[in-house]
Amino acid sequence: MTGDTLVARSGESAAPPWRFLVSGHRVRVGAIALAAAAVYSLLGLVKLATYRATTFDLVIVDQAVRSYANLRPPYIPVLGVFHGRGMDYLQLADHFSPIYALLAPFYWIHDGPETLIVAQAVLFAAAVPFLWRYTRRVLGAGPAYLVSLAYALSWPVAQAVAFDAHEVMFVPVLTAIMIERYHAGRNLPAFLAMLALLLVKEDMGLMVIGAGLCLVVIGDRWRGLLCVMLGLGAVLLVRGMLITYAGGDAKDFWAYNHLGPDMTSAILTLLRDPIAAVLLPFSEEAKVDTLFLMVWPTLLLCLLSPLSLAALPHVLERMLSDRGQWWQADFQYSAFTVMILFCAGVDGLARLLRLIKRFDDKRRSSAGESEANECRSGRDHKHASLRLAWSAAVLAVALTLVPKFALDQLYHPAFYQDPKAAAAAEALSRVPSGVTVEAVNSLGPALSSRATVLLWTGESHGSPWVVADTARWEFPFGSPGQQLAEVEELRAQGYVTVYERDGYVVLRRS
């Protein structure tokens, strides 16, 4: 397999990534990115304003970034207390994401989770120009617009921006830079983007390993082997040393107990029964559904490109695990690989068209020169039509999936309303600033900018203030009945009711 679509065409390798901005494409590409950022921001900010954002995980990230903004280590007391590890628990012990420090200066402008939501929206949208440029180089300008719109509307991005804020916000733009700049022959920014991935999360070394395998397959063997070793070393260093040094526990990340208690035993289990190992990623209906949804937006053509190898290790990490939420399409996990698969789809179509071209050339090699030129002209026109048709179909698929995922909420009036919003706002107003408060999962984000928020659970941590909800189920309780029982238990311990309405209860320790 050759890498001719993964290297730049003559005359384009020296072009900087912003060169297209001086052309007539500037307004159109910028409009797509700005519109995407606005839509993503609207979705997240409305959920925050209507108390549908959650302490797990928005407050976790908010506390980490606020600590960076205050020039302190990234403490996340909400998770430390939840795990019984104290208020000085480091975010780096939970997930190795030092890249969050880049968001700290924005907290100097506005200190609150709203900043995270907007920053996440901008970062997801920032991948659009790089995807557009890569697709234009491979397929042409028309398909580039259609594919960029398809990414902006894609279900993995929609699910990620609808569920609080996560480290995945950095991944699409970094992978887009990595792929587009390598394709343009600019190796330094490509590999810098790859190195930046290692600062996003402890498992991004797997993605670097996948990128290295892709380079080996397309013929860039030395760089590929270097990336494989770099990715493997990063995984071993971060999981084996840095997270433990920060106060984490390696057992927190082990999600393969069905294969064995550690990495060595899991590998031996897979090797003893290779057929079962191959079938394991398809062993549950949820896995099959998610895998199909991941490749369907490119009409399966991503499977024809070696670029898909960059996504493979991360996908296997999810599908081989015993954690059901990792298999689902409902959360943010598929956004880690969405950009890779879109670029792979573009490359896969180009490879398919080249195969057709070679077949036609062999079939018509015996034709006369004038007839061959005429056939070549007609074939080029046909291929241009196929490129446009595939890109239009990709956008159509993205549009058909919108009603099934999070962006569907935006055109329903009920999304912008919450019948309990007034009661929630009044309950929150009773909590003074600067205190430590155990808050129900849905109300923690609204308090995070002015109080130290802990998650309200079935185990009291003796906080001076508690904000509870007894009317609807909230994580991590099993039912509203359990939540009501916990409120009564707190009252029996001496907590005084300060406010109660529509199920919300504000308690103060006497």
Side-chain angles (χ1 to χ4, degrees), residues 248-265:
D249 188 340
K251 295 179 181 179
D252 294 342
F253 303 95
W254 186 247
Y256 309 93
N257 289 308
H258 59 302
L259 299 176
D262 53 39
M263 179 67 71
T264 301
S265 58

Side-chain angles (χ1 to χ4, degrees), residues 41-65:
S41 297
L42 177 65
L43 182 60
L45 291 174
V46 169
K47 294 194 73 172
L48 179 62
T50 53
Y51 308 104
R52 280 173 277 184
T54 60
T55 299
F56 276 31
D57 297 314
L58 187 55
V59 171
I60 295 173
V61 182
D62 177 66
Q63 290 179 344
V65 177

Side-chain angles (χ1 to χ4, degrees), residues 296-312:
W296 177 237
T298 64
L299 303 181
L300 312 185
L301 290 192
C302 60
L303 300 177
L304 300 181
S305 171
L307 273 173
S308 293
L309 290 172
L312 182 61

Side-chain angles (χ1 to χ4, degrees), residues 346-408:
V346 170
D347 182 52
L349 175 64
R351 290 174 178 274
L352 180 61
L353 293 178
R354 281 202 310 280
L355 285 175
I356 296 173
K357 176 179 179 294
R358 285 198 286 267
F359 177 78
D360 287 346
D361 288 344
K362 290 180 180 179
R363 188 164 56 90
R364 294 166 178 165
S365 59
S366 59
E369 183 177 350
S370 60
E371 182 180 350
N373 290 336
E374 182 179 348
C375 291
R376 189 177 299 111
S377 175
R379 181 190 61 204
D380 291 343
H381 177 73
K382 179 181 178 181
H383 284 195
S385 299
L386 287 174
R387 289 194 292 268
L388 193 61
W390 175 82
S391 305
V394 165
L395 177 57
V397 168
L399 288 169
T400 61
L401 291 176
V402 166
K404 301 180 183 298
F405 292 96
L407 292 181
D408 174 71

